[in-house]
Amino acid sequence: MQTNFTPEQLKDPATARSEQVLRTCVHCGFCTATCPTYQILGDELDSPRGRIYLIKDMLENDRKPDAKTVKHVDRCLSCLACMTTCPSGVHYMHLVDHAREYIEEHYNRPLTDRALRWVLARILPYPNRFRLALLGAKIGRPFARFMPDARLRAMLEMAPKTIPPVSRNDDPQTFAPEAPKKMRVALMTGCAQKALNTDINDATIRLLTRLGCEVVVAEGAGCCGALTHHMGKTSESHATAAKNIRAWDAEMRGKGLDAIVINTSGCGTTVKDYGHMFRNEPLAKEADAVSKIAMDVSEVLMKLDLPQGADQELKVAYHAACSLQHGQQIKTYPKDLLKRAGFTVLEPKDPHLCCGSAGTYNLMQPEISKQLKDRKVQTLEARNPDIIAAGNIGCMMQIGSGTEIPIVHTVELLDWATGGPKPSAMLAAENGGTRPMGIPVLR
């Protein structure tokens, strides 16, 4: 694609990067075939190619964003299926992230939009605040149908029926390996996940220590910054990301780390991009070092000796989170691990299409999100599985709100298959929906 940025514009690193991305696009349209919003809405401007034209025009002309451009950029899920499909290697993620930052700086959103985004940015990345918000949403859930704004209804309807107690396993500490030590790893405990489902980190710690990992929860680490990053709130996202970088850098300089383990794939895509995000900042060297050892939990488990399991006689429908299969290009590892553990793995039709969760997308674009959720649930249920597995808390919450089939994180099944407790979502299904609320002590 031909561009016409001025030398002055290209002095801005973000604009220079966007020009590089734009120049790789050849207008081929392959991306339209795998774009979820284009599949549903059928509007060229709701495809990656259409958004690229809008973003190019906005950036190239230093144009104040208009409502039309903002609407179509906001509708993008950032599922990154277009990056998997693109034969030219267009790095759409960096382009749309820049567009969102530009819009955040130059567009005056309606008051209700500004208020909603402000609330989400100041609640979701903070587990204690999020827990209080979930409690309030749980109380208000019966009144959701009376809410005039579809986004507020979505927030109330997405609130879980039960809120787990705080897990002290998420506190800064070190867990010793139960087998001969093979690796020393830092576990990213995250933010929203700590409020929504404490079982995932607990299962991850049990599984890794069982397989010979010393697991560190680093002092000072927390939210990866993805939620605010995808809202275009760069200063806020970089502030939280910088805390992680400093915390993990201290561990790397101390006793050393073989990997930073991430069990929420949306976070993993962002942490692996820290090197790019901080490339022109004082933490550039440390951020790049962090990015290089950041791994999804499935990548780490493939390096360890996961024992071959007996036939579990359970059919598992595997949902591939977009941030894992497109953002990190990890497609087979979770399925390979589940098969090795003895599960029968089923894959739904159109596994490349998003479930509609996409961070805060299901809260800010509830109508489109619901259509994607319904489609995803239908394809998963069509395989008639006993259980659904996924590698991202957002996908689990989204899909779980549309099906009665228990949904668990991949590591929960692997933990169970290698000696850990049965996943509580499965126990709840057996006990009429009542989840056991005890938090295991792992020390």
Side-chain angles (χ1 to χ4, degrees), residues 112-121 123-124 130 133-145 147 149-161 196 231 359-366 397-398 401:
T112 53
D113 288 7
R114 295 201 306 273
L116 174 62
R117 294 164 72 87
W118 185 90
V119 167
L120 292 175
I123 290 180
L124 298 188
F130 193 22
L134 289 173
L135 179 60
K138 182 181 177 182
I139 295 170
R141 190 172 183 174
F143 307 100
R145 64 183 182 277
M147 290 292 172
D149 192 317
R151 296 170 299 184
L152 295 177
R153 289 198 300 273
M155 289 183 187
L156 294 178
E157 290 167 356
M158 285 295 292
K161 295 178 181 178
L196 291 167
M231 290 185 195
T360 58
Y361 192 90
N362 55 357
L363 302 178
M364 294 197 285
Q365 301 285 340
M397 296 298 296
Q398 174 83 342
S401 69

Side-chain angles (χ1 to χ4, degrees), residues 9-188:
Q9 287 176 312
L10 294 176
K11 289 180 181 178
D12 172 50
T15 302
R17 174 57 179 154
S18 288
E19 191 212 28
Q20 292 174 349
V21 176
L22 289 167
R23 282 183 170 272
T24 59
C25 179
V26 296
H27 321 274
C28 68
F30 275 78
C31 56
T32 62
T34 57
C35 175
T37 52
Y38 181 73
Q39 294 293 309
I40 285 178
L41 301 171
D43 187 335
E44 172 73 14
L45 296 180
D46 284 312
S47 73
R49 182 171 62 181
R51 293 186 179 107
I52 284 171
Y53 281 121
L54 290 173
I55 294 169
K56 176 181 182 293
D57 177 65
M58 178 178 68
L59 297 178
E60 209 168 50
N61 295 300
D62 285 328
R63 181 170 57 77
K64 184 177 180 179
D66 56 38
K68 176 183 176 182
T69 299
V70 173
K71 177 181 76 171
H72 293 294
V73 172
D74 281 353
R75 282 179 175 177
C76 174
L77 293 138
S78 281
C79 71
L80 308 181
C82 54
M83 288 178 56
T84 296
T85 309
C86 181
S88 302
V90 176
H91 204 300
Y92 178 81
M93 181 176 80
H94 289 166
L95 180 66
V96 77
D97 284 346
H98 179 208
R100 287 176 170 145
E101 179 183 21
Y102 185 91
I103 289 169
E104 182 69 13
E105 292 175 358
H106 298 94
Y107 182 67
N108 187 28
R109 292 179 180 274
L111 178 60
T112 53
D113 288 7
R114 295 201 306 273
L116 174 62
R117 294 164 72 87
W118 185 90
V119 167
L120 292 175
R122 278 153 185 78
I123 290 180
L124 298 188
Y126 303 92
N128 291 334
R129 298 180 196 176
F130 193 22
R131 282 179 176 276
L132 290 174
L134 289 173
L135 179 60
K138 182 181 177 182
I139 295 170
R141 190 172 183 174
F143 307 100
R145 64 183 182 277
F146 299 115
M147 290 292 172
D149 192 317
R151 296 170 299 184
L152 295 177
R153 289 198 300 273
M155 289 183 187
L156 294 178
E157 290 167 356
M158 285 295 292
K161 295 178 181 178
T162 57
I163 303 169
V166 174
S167 173
R168 296 271 68 95
N169 301 317
D170 292 329
D171 296 341
Q173 60 193 294
T174 299
F175 298 91
E178 296 178 4
K181 183 176 174 181
K182 298 177 182 176
M183 301 175 74
R184 185 175 192 268
V185 303
L187 173 65
M188 180 176 183

